[in-house]
Amino acid sequence: MTKKVLLLRTCAKWFEKLVNWKIKYKYREVKPFWESRLLNKDWTPKDFDEIHIKNWYRPDSPLAIIEFKWNLWIFEHEWKQQFKLELGEIKEILNYNK
């Protein structure tokens, strides 16, 4: 069975904070792209098996595999609506040497 994975990308600074447990949430602006990734057509949350957070785009880039914990909020921040995703426990970190 194929796992349903939510893939998020981030820069090195935020990836470092993620692996050192300094962030527990990821934020994405409410736009059609993220609505389609995170929500069903009736605006109920989609279900995933894991969240993969990757540092940039290269195949060998650092990757954190995180437990999926569906806690999603929409809130106003700096005059924009944002999705706020709660992150679960880190299951595995690949291609990362620090």
Side-chain angles (χ1 to χ4, degrees), residues 25-73:
Y25 302 95
K26 291 300 289 175
Y27 300 88
R28 295 294 185 260
E29 189 172 350
V30 175
K31 289 189 170 188
F33 174 78
W34 287 108
E35 289 172 13
S36 70
R37 294 288 313 276
L38 299 173
L39 302 172
N40 295 307
K41 290 185 187 225
D42 63 358
W43 273 65
T44 56
K46 288 186 177 180
D47 192 31
F48 298 95
D49 297 311
E50 297 175 337
I51 298 174
H52 290 190
I53 298 182
K54 193 165 189 174
N55 177 213
W56 298 113
Y57 293 89
R58 292 176 33 175
D60 62 343
S61 293
L63 173 71
I65 300 172
I66 298 172
E67 167 193 19
F68 179 74
K69 201 176 186 184
W70 193 253
N71 288 324
L72 173 72
W73 300 271

Side-chain angles (χ1 to χ4, degrees), residues 3-24:
K3 289 185 180 183
K4 291 192 274 182
V5 174
L6 173 62
L7 175 63
L8 304 173
R9 304 218 187 247
T10 192
C11 67
K13 170 185 162 183
W14 292 106
F15 191 85
E16 181 76 24
K17 287 183 179 194
L18 172 76
V19 299
N20 289 307
W21 289 100
K22 295 190 177 172
I23 61 170
K24 296 287 183 183

